[in-house]
């Protein structure tokens, strides 16, 4: 699928292509950051034995993946 996207990107105006790639890159970075924060919070909830927080956070993590 990524190859198809990249092949289609070759036909797009270079300025627009760069903007689209930058947006995709930033979205992925933000998703990775959010995922890492949720994982930290899950670890914290496990240490505190907070089942409610753990369940909420794991659901949020599933939604991101």
């Amino acid at each position: 699928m990524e190859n198809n996207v990249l092949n289609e990107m070759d036909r797009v105006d270079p300025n627009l292509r760069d903007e689209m790639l930058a947006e995709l890159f930033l979205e992925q970075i933000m998703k990775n950051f959010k995922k890492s924060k949720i994982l930290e919070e899950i670890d914290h909830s496990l240490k505190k034995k907070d089942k409610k927080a753990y369940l909420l956070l794991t659901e949020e993590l599933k939604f991101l993946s």
Side-chain angles (χ1 to χ4, degrees):
M1 180 172 167
E2 286 182 19
N3 285 339
N4 291 341
V5 170
L6 293 176
N7 290 338
E8 291 296 321
M9 296 288 287
D10 287 339
R11 297 184 212 156
V12 176
D13 176 83
N15 291 331
L16 181 59
R17 183 188 65 217
D18 291 346
E19 184 179 334
M20 291 168 65
L21 288 173
E23 285 182 31
L24 289 170
F25 176 74
L26 288 174
E27 285 175 18
Q28 188 62 47
I29 294 297
M30 290 170 56
K31 183 178 176 182
N32 290 347
F33 178 77
K34 189 168 187 175
K35 189 174 183 179
S36 130
K37 285 298 184 187
I38 292 172
L39 288 170
E40 286 178 19
E41 291 179 36
I42 287 173
D43 286 344
H44 184 69
S45 70
L46 287 170
K47 287 178 186 172
K48 292 181 80 176
K49 298 181 180 172
D50 184 346
K51 184 177 181 178
K52 182 178 178 182
Y54 172 80
L55 293 173
L56 289 171
L57 291 164
T58 54
E59 282 301 313
E60 191 173 341
L61 185 61
K62 286 179 193 175
F63 180 73
L64 270 181
S65 299

